[in-house]
Amino acid sequence: MQYRIGNGIDIHQLEEGIPLIIGGVPIPFQKGSKGHSDGDVLFHAIVDAILGSLSLGDIGKYFPSDNSKWKNADSRNFLEHIFKLINEKGYSVENIDATIILQEPIINPHILQMREKIASILSADLDQVSVKATTTDKLGFIGKGEGIAATASVLIKK
C-alpha cells in the first residue's frame, strides 16, 4: 500500500507538583500529566497513530511502563524512535491531525511551538502538522481538571 492511515489516543491523570509537558513543550500550570515517562499525551497519541498505520502494535510494545529504562523518559525519544522505524520501512509522514482535550490551562498560545517540534522530529513541513485544543465544557474527569487526553490521526506514504 502506498498510503496508510493510523489513529492514536492517550489519556493521563493530572496531578499537582508534576510538570505539564504537551507536544514537547513545558506548559506553566500547577498540575501535570502523571505517567511512567514524562506523560506527554500528544507525543504518545502520535506515536500510537504512526504505529497503528503500519500495524506495528502500540506504544506499550516498544516502551513498556514496567521497564525502568523509560521511567521519567522524554517522550521525544519515543517519537524519534518510531519515526526511524517507519523510515526503515520506506514510509514518510504526509500529515498529522491531533487534538488535545484539556479543561485548563488554555494552551492555544503554545500550539505553534508544539507543531514546530513535531514537524522537526518527523522531517515534515509545518503545514503538515495540525494541533488543536478543546475542552469538555466541564464534563467528566477532564472537565473536572482530573485528566488530559489527546487524539491523533496520521497519513503516511511509501
Side-chain angles (χ1 to χ4, degrees):
M1 283 187 252
Q2 187 170 3
Y3 289 97
R4 299 185 69 137
I5 297 171
N7 65 54
I9 184 169
D10 195 42
I11 302 166
H12 284 274
Q13 179 181 350
L14 289 176
E15 187 174 289
E16 290 198 23
I18 297 174
L20 181 59
I21 311 288
I22 307 173
V25 178
I27 309 293
F29 194 56
Q30 70 269 17
K31 292 181 181 179
S33 182
K34 183 178 178 183
H36 184 69
S37 65
D38 62 5
D40 190 329
V41 294
L42 182 56
F43 277 3
H44 296 179
I46 294 169
V47 166
D48 264 352
I50 294 170
L51 288 169
S53 70
L54 288 172
S55 302
L56 295 175
D58 63 26
I59 194 169
K61 177 179 176 182
Y62 297 86
F63 312 103
S65 59
D66 62 357
N67 185 334
S68 61
K69 176 180 180 179
W70 307 118
K71 179 75 175 156
N72 299 318
D74 184 338
S75 294
R76 177 186 180 101
N77 297 327
F78 302 168
L79 193 54
E80 288 172 343
H81 177 79
I82 297 308
F83 181 61
K84 287 178 192 169
L85 185 67
I86 68 162
N87 279 334
E88 290 169 3
K89 296 191 173 291
Y91 285 88
S92 62
V93 173
E94 284 295 297
N95 78 299
I96 292 173
D97 183 27
T99 303
I100 302 157
I101 309 162
L102 177 66
Q103 193 62 44
E104 61 176 342
I106 295 171
I107 58 169
N108 283 332
H110 307 282
I111 286 180
L112 177 59
Q113 189 178 3
M114 293 174 197
R115 291 177 58 219
E116 289 170 342
K117 285 184 180 280
I118 294 163
S120 173
I121 294 167
L122 300 178
S123 297
D125 292 331
L126 188 61
D127 67 355
Q128 292 174 279
V129 179
S130 169
V131 175
K132 306 175 301 292
T134 191
T135 70
T136 61
D137 291 326
K138 302 197 183 224
L139 296 173
F141 69 93
I142 292 175
K144 293 176 185 170
E146 298 171 358
I148 181 173
T151 64
S153 297
V154 64
L155 175 67
I156 62 171
K157 180 182 178 184
K158 191 152 190 119

